[in-house]
Amino acid sequence: MSGGRKRKLRLSKIYSFACCKASFEGDHSQIGGKGYSRVVFCNEPDRFEDGVRNYADNSVRSTKYTVATFFPKSLFEQFRRVANFYFLVTGTLAFTKLAPYTAVSAILPLIIVIGATMVKEGIEDWRRKKQDILVNNRRVKVHKIDGIFEYTAWKNLRVGDIVKVEKDEFFPADLLLLSSSYDDAVCYVETMNLDGETNLKIKQGLEVTSSLQGDLNFQKFNATVKCEDPNANLYSFVGSMEFEEQKYALSPQQLLLRDSKLRNTDYIFGAVIFTGHDTKVIQNSTDPPSKRSRIEKKMDRVIYFLFCILFLMAFVGSIFFGFITKNDLQNGSMKRWYLRPDDSTIFFDPKRSAAAVLFHCLTALMLYGFFIPISLYVSIEIVKVLQSIFINQDIHMYYKEADKPARARTSNLNEELGQVDTILSDKTGTLTCNSMEFIKCSIAGVAYGRGTTEVEKAMDRRKGSLSIHGHDIELEEDDIRGSLDKKPLIKGFNFADERIINGNWVNEPHADVIQKFFRLLAVCHTAIPEVDEDTGNVSYEAESPDEAAFVIAARELGFEFYKRGQTSLSTHELDPVSGKKVERKYKLLNVLEFNSSRKRMSVIVEDEEGKIFLLCKGADSIMFERLAKNGRQFEEKTMEHVHEYADAGLRTLILAYRELDAEEYKEFDNKFSKAKNIVSADQEILIEEVSDKIEKNLILLGATAVEDKLQDGVPDCIDKLAQAGIKIWVLTGDKMETAINIGFACSLLRQGMKQIIIHLDTPEIQALEKDGDKMAIAKASRQSVLLQISEGAAQLTAYRGSSQQAFSLIIDGKSLVYALEDNMKNMFLELAIRCASVICCRSSPKQKALVTRLVKSGTGKTILAIGDGANDVGMLQEADIGIGISGVEGMQAVMSSDIAIAQFRYLERLLLVHGHWCYRRISSMICYFFYKNITFGFTLFLYEVYASFSGQPAYNDWFLSLYNVFFSSFPVIALGVFDQDVSSRYCLKFPLLYQEGVQNVLFSWRRILSWMLNGLISALIIFFFCTKSIELQAFDVEGRTAGKDILGATMYTCVVWVVNLQMALAISYFTLIQHFFIWGSIGFWYLFLLVYGAMPPHFSTNAYKVFIEALAPSPSYWIVTFFVVISTLIPYFSYSAIQKRFFPMYHEIVQWIRYDGNIKDPEFCDMVRQRSLRPTTVGATARLAAKAHHIRNRNVNRR
């Protein structure tokens, strides 16, 4: 049985765990002190001391509210908005005699709006609650008594419990690994949920507990763990375990973190150390930064502006009212006799006019509150949620291969997608597939591999060969494809060279070097083989796609790694003498792990003959300086090939080895073990120092070259985004040469574009680096970067008069350190934003975040960051919009993003279609809200003026209350969800449409104020036309004149008709839903008038049967309504017709193309698109435009 075989393995030395028996040096001296006070009694969770310590239970809660806090906390959130708080105050004042309307009619709309928002909050929180319930009720085996393990829910676990976790299960808490199905307590862990990495990590329990492999072993097991207090550091753990009267040091290797998954191990036993919110993963879970769109922030300023107008109107009206009231009673003569100033309340008492002014001001503030759209916030939230659903359901952004649709993780930023000025993109896994293919190699100074990369094809285009000899290149590509198609496609392997494949390498001049080269690839790694029992095929779990590609390449070329033993590796190798496959076994002594500072990885193995070898692979910048004098035989040729590979956009590694004698290895092993045993902050430094001394005097074998292919559609997507006027920066950790060539492949760079390269690889800096004077290096580097930035700015200034010259800026990570300093960052930013494209190479995650912050704060424009890995999280959270690619590097970038997509190419549709639509819809929606409320509010104000500021509303109380809720809001919501100025096809055909959002032309102060002016004009026409038309003459056949009730109902009817028909005029794309809401709102007004008017007079007041008895039978009502509505709409209609015909905006030009049928005229369409075909931008279209311009200039010069 495979399970039995596993238990006999001892994998202790795979990561040098044999020398990981941590000692009590360094940090362990702090146990029991501050920050290290946690005590856990293993297998005794009911112990009294645990109860006293009051450790957290294992249930987790991600909800915003609880049952007890939902109402108070949710209400607080709602009334933090100034508009909602204002309506709360006016609603409270409505219970006083100051109110111009009844309290119920004032409070009910507020309750409806606040209630709707709270219901939405409650639904969202309930979804989070259900997720929490699902997690908390997961099942795990826990030790109950006498070696019996029973299933229990995660939430019931307590500190000290012993649990048994089985293969492919998640760890329910932070556990101390005691033992596993392997004899030496090793287990494999997948930490994708923690750090986004898909590779497996190896953990190992203490040797003293490794024998506890059966359930019954825990009958009498007791141990005491003393360790650090809960903290967020995923990669540290300091503690000790007292077991059988002996103390043993604990390290991170014994800690299994909650939400990690057990892989390739049948089971493990562990003791619960941290539970619930004390676990490291929960300690790490911070709330994402609160992001609000620019439109929403501006909307708040517009509302403040309306408040200023409201207060001004109330103040000015109250002053007028005070003067009029003071003069009401003079010498016994009463001007406004109907108010009885000789016997009035304080509100109209001429003798107390100052108090009357104050009270009138409060009344006016309540009455004019209808200027503020009470339903605006909740309507926008509803619209944004529906827009997000449309984004999630877009079939054109669904990636079928991975079954991944687009996912808007927040709806707050929909309209921000239509205003992006600059995109900051990661390269690996974002622009490229992060699916590495072994394609070329250099061995013993000879280049092998005949494949052609995407970058090489792009280089051919740069040289002009594709445009001139396009047919020949296509035939060549077909030949290459044909040669590859002859053999089955193997993921990670795209190598073709008859000199190497099928064992032909044995006939090469340096066959011994080739053998060592592929043997190194087969042995120098941390991959885990998985053998298919049915077919015998071997697959690999590797730390990275690169490493998997190397092991697969070795396998395909005759060096198959197929088994990892207790302290050994086994391979099937082609014997050059016999020509047959033979099994070879290598004793694995040590693994010197890869990290970003070492930039290399080594293993030390002993072969079957007893020889000890150090096998090393690493970056060329590190490896060449570590070669021995007698190991540089192939250095010149290899370096030449490495540069060629980098030019072709390939990722390269140098392979080298050395043989160690027994004494040298023994000395190293002692030092290495000592460094590994010290658990302190200096441990990593000590390990690196020891490793550094052994990884010298290496003998060069050659170099590998793997291709990370561009994702499908990346060049076309970048081309469209560039045509839309969006700037694109690439922030990558790759070498400058690789990044530049990827830039050419996706048309971010092109032939003829002047490159401003800022780097520190100058002889002066290199000389200082050899001396090691850090102060001198920093000073010289700072001066060098400043000089290069100044020279770049001078170049741009010199070409300022030439509109045809494009520049690109390329800067490396070392230079970026100084360019981001406070005294230099503004100069750097000014230079960067004047360039067509920017590429930052060798960037660290922190630098990516700092560059994002600089661009966001320095430009004040909307910045979008897109990435796929854990190293992109800072950049995504810093940007205005973070887009996560759900690729192969785990889900951490997606979990930190605002919107997740599966492929970079979907960014084109997300921005140019959904972004443009959402921006236009939200902008138009908000403008229309202000229009309809100003139209309504100003009719109230004008009636106030007409009635000498008496504080009497023109309309019935319930007419006032329901205007924003039922008679005008639903068509606006339909506009926000369904309206389209142009279809998605036209959005993509004319990318420059997107600039309307970037320049914010649809939500500028000019446009907002023009809609407000339209509202004022509408109010003036409605009020004066209605009052003058029915003021004096008889209203019905019986000769009665119109009273306040008839005038109010007539004006209200005109307002409802006007604001809804205004919406119909503003809509570009009618759907059945919009028709339903527009005509339904008007129809509902008449229905309401009938039903409300039929209610008893004490409830319907002056609306009692007003429609049936007064309005409907009167021709004057219908005639006035018709002519007033038409008259009110004429100004907007006239302005709109003139503007669209003679001064059209860009989207209106596109609409004319569609309506006139010119869409099939390519010359006319090109003429409209020409503004986006600028030769100073990037992309394939700009490249062609620049080339055409160059040819025209050349022809002119020849003449």
Side-chain angles (χ1 to χ4, degrees):
M1 295 288 290
S2 62
R5 190 165 61 250
K6 277 186 179 176
R7 278 189 282 275
K8 295 190 187 318
L9 296 179
R10 285 191 171 270
L11 305 183
S12 305
K13 298 194 177 181
I14 291 178
Y15 279 84
S16 305
F17 285 124
C19 38
C20 277
K21 301 178 181 69
S23 66
F24 281 94
E25 299 180 48
D27 283 356
H28 284 78
S29 61
Q30 302 174 49
I31 292 176
K34 187 177 179 181
Y36 297 85
S37 61
R38 194 173 188 88
V39 179
V40 178
F41 300 100
C42 300
N43 216 16
E44 298 178 273
D46 296 319
R47 188 158 169 165
F48 173 74
E49 288 91 334
D50 273 353
V52 172
R53 294 176 186 276
N54 196 26
Y55 293 139
D57 63 26
N58 201 42
S59 61
V60 294
R61 183 173 69 87
S62 61
T63 55
K64 191 175 180 179
Y65 308 105
T66 63
V67 174
T69 63
F70 176 72
F71 275 100
K73 195 172 179 181
S74 181
L75 285 172
F76 175 74
E77 289 289 329
Q78 296 309 311
F79 290 118
R80 285 172 64 186
R81 290 173 168 167
V82 65
N84 288 346
F85 182 72
Y86 168 77
F87 287 114
L88 177 65
V89 172
T90 57
T92 306
L93 289 174
F95 288 93
T96 68
K97 291 182 179 180
L98 292 169
Y101 38 65
T102 60
V104 176
S105 65
I107 290 293
L108 186 62
L110 181 64
I111 291 173
I112 291 172
V113 169
I114 297 297
T117 309
M118 288 176 66
V119 167
K120 171 182 169 286
E121 289 274 315
I123 291 171
E124 289 179 351
D125 217 46
W126 175 243
R127 287 173 182 162
R128 288 190 284 266
K129 177 68 175 175
K130 286 200 293 187
Q131 187 63 34
D132 290 344
I133 291 171
L134 195 66
V135 171
N136 289 330
N137 286 318
R138 285 178 179 170
R139 312 280 286 173
V140 67
K141 285 183 177 178
V142 64
H143 182 237
K144 293 296 184 181
I145 192 170
D146 295 334
I148 298 171
F149 281 77
E150 295 178 0
Y151 277 106
T152 189
W154 279 22
K155 64 184 178 183
N156 297 328
L157 288 183
R158 293 167 297 172
V159 172
D161 274 335
I162 305 298
V163 298
K164 182 178 184 179
V165 180
E166 298 180 334
K167 185 178 180 180
D168 293 329
E169 289 182 349
F170 290 98
F171 299 123
D174 288 352
L175 308 177
L176 176 68
L177 175 59
L178 300 173
S179 60
S180 76
S181 54
Y182 294 104
D183 283 349
D184 47 5
V186 163
C187 70
Y188 298 98
V189 176
E190 182 186 89
T191 60
M192 189 172 73
N193 287 343
L194 274 65
D195 53 19
E197 296 181 11
T198 54
N199 58 288
L200 301 186
K201 296 178 176 62
I202 301 180
K203 301 281 186 175
Q204 185 184 30
L206 296 176
E207 186 176 347
V208 70
T209 60
S210 62
S211 60
L212 303 171
Q213 291 189 317
D215 295 3
L216 295 176
N217 292 122
F218 290 92
Q219 276 182 294
K220 297 181 180 180
F221 172 77
N222 291 110
T224 302
V225 174
K226 296 180 180 179
C227 64
E228 63 189 20
D229 293 334
N231 60 72
N233 195 329
L234 293 172
Y235 307 107
S236 75
F237 179 70
V238 176
S240 66
M241 184 174 78
E242 189 174 331
F243 179 58
E244 296 177 347
E245 299 182 356
Q246 292 289 324
K247 278 192 177 181
Y248 303 91
L250 301 174
S251 73
Q253 288 299 338
Q254 285 85 51
L255 192 67
L256 305 173
L257 300 180
R258 178 186 174 116
D259 283 346
S260 301
K261 182 186 277 189
L262 184 66
R263 294 285 302 276
N264 292 8
T265 310
D266 290 343
Y267 61 84
I268 63 99
F269 290 99
V272 177
I273 304 297
F274 299 116
T275 49
H277 289 271
D278 287 345
T279 58
K280 289 182 180 286
V281 66
I282 304 295
Q283 294 269 317
N284 265 278
S285 61
T286 56
D287 292 330
S290 179
K291 296 180 180 181
R292 294 183 71 210
S293 70
R294 280 169 167 71
I295 284 184
E296 197 172 334
K297 292 174 186 174
K298 191 169 187 176
M299 182 182 74
D300 288 345
R301 295 197 293 271
V302 176
I303 288 178
Y304 294 141
F305 173 70
L306 286 178
F307 271 119
C308 293
I309 293 177
L310 188 154
F311 279 103
L312 181 65
M313 287 166 55
F315 176 74
V316 171
S318 298
I319 297 297
F320 273 99
F321 174 76
F323 281 118
I324 296 169
T325 302
K326 190 174 183 180
N327 297 325
D328 255 354
L329 185 63
Q330 290 184 347
N331 302 322
S333 173
M334 295 179 287
K335 289 186 177 180
R336 295 189 295 181
W337 53 267
Y338 50 86
L339 294 177
R340 289 301 305 274
D342 59 330
D343 185 25
S344 69
T345 62
I346 192 173
F347 304 117
F348 298 98
D349 191 345
K351 296 174 184 176
R352 291 184 287 179
S353 58
V357 166
L358 177 62
F359 289 130
H360 180 274
C361 189
L362 292 173
T363 301
L365 286 176
M366 287 189 275
L367 186 59
Y368 302 156
F370 295 96
F371 274 92
I372 311 300
I374 188 172
S375 58
L376 175 59
Y377 285 110
V378 69
S379 298
I380 286 177
E381 287 184 10
I382 291 169
V383 163
K384 286 186 175 182
V385 168
L386 294 173
Q387 288 176 347
S388 297
I389 291 171
F390 283 165
I391 290 173
N392 296 344
Q393 298 294 324
D394 190 341
I395 193 67
H396 297 289
M397 294 195 294
Y398 170 68
Y399 189 46
K400 189 175 181 180
E401 290 181 28
D403 189 26
K404 289 180 180 176
R407 184 182 166 210
R409 302 185 67 250
T410 175
S411 60
N412 293 342
L413 304 171
N414 295 352
E415 67 274 24
E416 201 87 328
L417 291 169
Q419 295 185 280
V420 174
D421 178 77
T422 305
I423 294 173
L424 306 180
S425 174
D426 176 41
K427 183 188 80 68
T428 305
T430 304
L431 296 177
T432 59
C433 299
N434 199 21
S435 176
M436 308 299 174
E437 289 188 342
F438 186 92
I439 191 168
K440 295 186 181 186
C441 60
S442 170
I443 310 174
V446 180
Y448 297 99
R450 305 194 186 281
T452 306
T453 67
E454 295 286 339
V455 174
E456 286 175 313
K457 295 169 190 173
M459 289 167 69
D460 288 334
R461 290 196 292 269
R462 283 161 55 194
K463 295 170 185 173
S465 58
L466 187 61
S467 57
I468 300 167
H469 307 293
H471 180 66
D472 295 336
I473 289 176
E474 286 173 15
L475 289 175
E476 181 187 337
E477 289 177 6
D478 290 341
D479 290 342
I480 293 169
R481 270 190 223 102
S483 65
L484 293 174
D485 290 343
K486 290 175 184 176
K487 64 180 191 306
L489 293 174
I490 299 163
K491 186 178 179 181
F493 186 72
N494 191 16
F495 182 84
D497 195 318
E498 66 284 353
R499 294 172 294 174
I500 295 292
I501 59 176
N502 299 325
N504 293 338
W505 60 267
V506 298
N507 301 317
E508 288 293 290
H510 296 284
D512 58 327
V513 179
I514 295 173
Q515 183 184 35
K516 290 172 183 173
F517 182 93
F518 288 115
R519 182 178 289 164
L520 189 151
L521 289 182
V523 174
C524 182
H525 54 78
T526 56
I528 300 161
E530 291 186 348
V531 181
D532 189 313
E533 295 180 2
D534 296 328
T535 64
N537 294 334
V538 183
S539 58
Y540 304 104
E541 288 276 1
E543 286 200 2
S544 66
D546 306 61
E547 189 159 270
F550 295 143
V551 186
I552 290 167
R555 180 191 71 196
E556 295 302 312
L557 296 172
F559 293 77
E560 182 184 58
F561 160 61
Y562 73 96
K563 183 180 177 184
R564 192 180 279 282
Q566 53 183 18
T567 58
S568 64
L569 296 172
S570 298
T571 63
H572 288 137
E573 296 181 11
L574 180 66
D575 183 24
V577 178
S578 65
K580 295 180 180 180
K581 284 276 185 84
V582 295
E583 181 179 340
R584 296 200 186 279
K585 193 171 184 180
Y586 299 90
K587 187 177 181 182
L588 185 60
L589 302 175
N590 301 93
V591 174
L592 313 182
E593 297 178 41
F594 176 90
N595 63 41
S596 56
S597 59
R598 280 169 42 79
K599 297 181 181 177
R600 63 190 182 277
M601 178 237 177
S602 301
V603 297
I604 300 176
V605 296
E606 183 180 335
D607 67 9
E608 293 166 335
E609 297 172 5
K611 294 180 180 178
I612 299 173
F613 292 95
L614 181 142
L615 309 177
C616 185
K617 61 185 181 189
D620 56 282
S621 57
I622 297 294
M623 294 293 288
F624 282 123
E625 64 188 31
R626 298 184 171 276
L627 298 179
K629 288 184 179 178
N630 64 342
R632 298 177 179 268
Q633 180 182 353
F634 315 116
E635 181 183 12
E636 188 176 340
K637 277 288 184 184
T638 304
M639 196 177 291
E640 183 182 320
H641 293 152
V642 165
H643 289 315
E644 288 176 6
Y645 296 154
D647 286 342
L650 299 174
R651 295 160 68 103
T652 58
L653 281 181
I654 303 300
L655 273 58
Y657 81 103
R658 65 173 292 203
E659 188 174 348
L660 305 175
D661 58 52
E663 284 300 318
E664 184 181 9
Y665 172 71
K666 186 177 180 182
E667 182 183 352
F668 159 78
D669 193 40
N670 289 334
K671 291 180 180 177
F672 189 70
S673 299
K674 187 177 180 181
K676 276 276 191 181
N677 288 341
I678 294 174
V679 183
S680 71
D682 298 329
Q683 185 193 56
E684 291 295 327
I685 297 171
L686 294 171
I687 291 172
E688 281 195 31
E689 286 177 356
V690 175
S691 302
D692 190 66
K693 290 177 182 176
I694 199 75
E695 291 171 322
K696 288 184 176 178
N697 300 319
L698 303 175
I699 297 171
L700 179 65
L701 294 173
T704 60
V706 295
E707 181 183 18
D708 188 5
K709 286 182 175 292
L710 282 176
Q711 289 183 13
D712 290 341
V714 165
D716 292 337
C717 177
I718 287 175
D719 184 36
K720 275 283 166 58
L721 296 174
Q723 287 184 55
I726 301 172
K727 304 177 190 71
I728 301 167
W729 295 26
V730 174
L731 312 179
T732 177
D734 275 343
K735 287 184 291 188
M736 186 175 285
E737 297 86 355
T738 306
I740 287 174
N741 285 293
I742 290 293
F744 276 109
C746 57
S747 296
L748 279 173
L749 305 176
R750 65 170 181 271
Q751 198 73 10
M753 180 182 279
K754 289 193 177 295
Q755 295 179 7
I756 299 172
I757 298 178
I758 300 174
H759 62 92
L760 291 175
D761 293 334
T762 61
E764 295 81 5
I765 303 292
Q766 288 172 347
L768 288 170
E769 286 175 344
K770 286 181 181 177
D771 294 338
D773 188 344
K774 292 184 178 179
M775 294 287 288
I777 293 169
K779 184 179 178 181
S781 298
R782 192 172 288 107
Q783 290 174 346
S784 175
V785 171
L786 181 61
L787 179 64
Q788 290 178 73
I789 291 175
S790 302
E791 288 175 350
Q795 281 189 60
L796 282 164
T797 304
Y799 278 91
R800 183 173 289 174
S802 172
S803 61
Q804 303 299 326
Q805 183 58 59
F807 285 82
S808 60
L809 175 65
I810 299 148
I811 183 170
D812 65 7
K814 286 183 181 178
S815 306
L816 206 52
V817 171
Y818 302 101
L820 293 174
E821 290 181 348
D822 288 341
N823 60 343
M824 210 184 302
K825 64 183 181 183
N826 290 332
M827 288 179 61
F828 167 67
L829 178 63
E830 185 180 349
L831 173 64
I833 60 180
R834 292 169 64 189
C835 294
S837 62
V838 179
I839 298 177
C840 300
C841 317
R842 294 294 195 195
S843 306
S844 67
K846 185 178 180 181
Q847 284 178 327
K848 290 182 178 183
L850 289 174
V851 169
T852 307
R853 182 184 302 172
L854 175 64
V855 180
K856 183 174 75 169
S857 60
T859 63
K861 302 289 183 64
T862 302
I863 306 302
L864 181 147
I866 180 168
D868 73 316
N871 60 334
D872 300 317
V873 167
M875 176 174 74
L876 299 185
Q877 292 189 337
E878 192 65 51
D880 293 302
I881 308 168
I883 306 290
I885 300 281
S886 48
V888 298
E889 285 199 23
M891 296 298 288
Q892 193 156 335
V894 169
M895 297 305 290
S896 303
S897 68
D898 303 304
I899 297 172
I901 55 177
Q903 294 274 284
F904 182 88
R905 67 177 184 269
Y906 298 148
L907 197 60
E908 175 186 343
R909 186 172 179 86
L910 183 66
L911 298 187
L912 301 191
V913 178
H914 290 285
H916 174 70
W917 282 348
C918 290
Y919 165 74
R920 176 182 173 77
R921 289 164 177 170
I922 295 290
S923 301
S924 301
M925 178 182 172
I926 296 171
C927 286
Y928 183 78
F929 254 105
F930 292 139
Y931 160 78
K932 74 182 183 63
N933 276 71
I934 285 176
T935 300
F936 185 64
F938 256 106
T939 57
L940 286 168
F941 175 73
L942 292 170
Y943 184 81
E944 269 282 272
V945 175
Y946 186 69
S948 68
F949 298 101
S950 60
Q952 290 298 309
Y955 310 121
N956 179 280
D957 295 354
W958 287 102
F959 293 1
L960 291 171
S961 300
L962 301 181
Y963 174 77
N964 275 312
V965 180
F966 291 120
F967 302 135
S968 60
S969 288
F970 291 112
V972 198
I973 293 173
L975 165 80
V977 176
F978 298 106
D979 194 35
Q980 300 175 12
D981 53 348
V982 297
S983 67
S984 59
R985 186 162 62 95
Y986 286 86
C987 286
L988 299 173
K989 190 176 181 69
F990 300 96
L992 203 61
L993 278 167
Y994 189 79
Q995 276 298 305
E996 291 186 343
V998 178
Q999 297 170 18
N1000 201 20
V1001 296
L1002 300 181
F1003 201 63
S1004 61
W1005 276 106
R1006 178 181 175 182
R1007 188 173 178 85
I1008 294 166
L1009 293 174
S1010 68
W1011 271 99
M1012 290 182 177
L1013 178 62
N1014 187 23
L1016 176 60
I1017 293 169
S1018 297
L1020 288 168
I1021 294 173
I1022 290 170
F1023 177 78
F1024 284 108
F1025 278 32
C1026 284
T1027 54
K1028 295 305 176 184
S1029 61
I1030 63 175
E1031 187 176 32
L1032 300 175
Q1033 67 274 21
F1035 185 74
D1036 58 21
V1037 293
E1038 297 181 7
R1040 289 176 295 193
T1041 56
K1044 175 175 173 283
D1045 52 349
I1046 292 174
L1047 175 62
T1050 304
M1051 283 172 52
Y1052 198 95
T1053 301
C1054 292
V1055 169
V1056 170
W1057 271 97
V1058 165
V1059 297
N1060 281 287
L1061 290 183
Q1062 175 74 70
M1063 167 66 67
L1065 289 176
I1067 285 176
S1068 300
Y1069 180 72
F1070 267 102
T1071 64
L1072 188 61
I1073 295 172
Q1074 284 160 317
H1075 276 293
F1076 174 78
F1077 280 129
I1078 290 172
W1079 307 116
S1081 296
I1082 296 171
F1084 185 69
W1085 156 243
Y1086 286 111
L1087 180 64
F1088 172 78
L1089 204 52
L1090 277 169
V1091 174
Y1092 181 57
M1095 292 180 179
H1098 70 271
F1099 186 78
S1100 57
T1101 62
N1102 65 349
Y1104 179 67
K1105 295 193 176 180
V1106 70
F1107 184 68
I1108 295 174
E1109 294 183 356
L1111 299 180
S1114 172
S1116 299
Y1117 170 72
W1118 301 106
I1119 293 168
V1120 167
T1121 301
F1122 178 77
F1123 281 104
V1124 169
V1125 170
I1126 296 298
S1127 302
T1128 308
L1129 294 174
I1130 283 174
Y1132 173 80
F1133 183 81
S1134 303
Y1135 169 81
S1136 181
I1138 293 168
Q1139 182 258 320
K1140 285 184 179 179
R1141 173 56 69 181
F1142 299 106
F1143 311 100
M1145 298 172 70
Y1146 193 77
H1147 73 273
E1148 291 164 343
I1149 295 174
V1150 176
Q1151 287 173 345
W1152 278 116
I1153 291 175
R1154 180 187 168 202
Y1155 296 145
D1156 291 345
N1158 290 326
I1159 194 65
K1160 295 181 180 178
D1161 184 348
E1163 291 185 8
F1164 188 80
C1165 291
D1166 286 343
M1167 182 184 72
V1168 174
R1169 281 206 307 264
Q1170 64 186 349
R1171 280 185 282 175
S1172 63
L1173 306 182
R1174 295 179 302 236
T1176 51
T1177 59
V1178 299
T1181 306
R1183 185 184 71 231
L1184 293 173
K1187 190 168 185 178
H1189 176 78
H1190 175 70
I1191 293 170
R1192 281 198 302 271
N1193 285 347
R1194 188 174 60 190
N1195 293 338
V1196 169
N1197 292 334
R1198 283 177 180 172
R1199 290 173 192 168

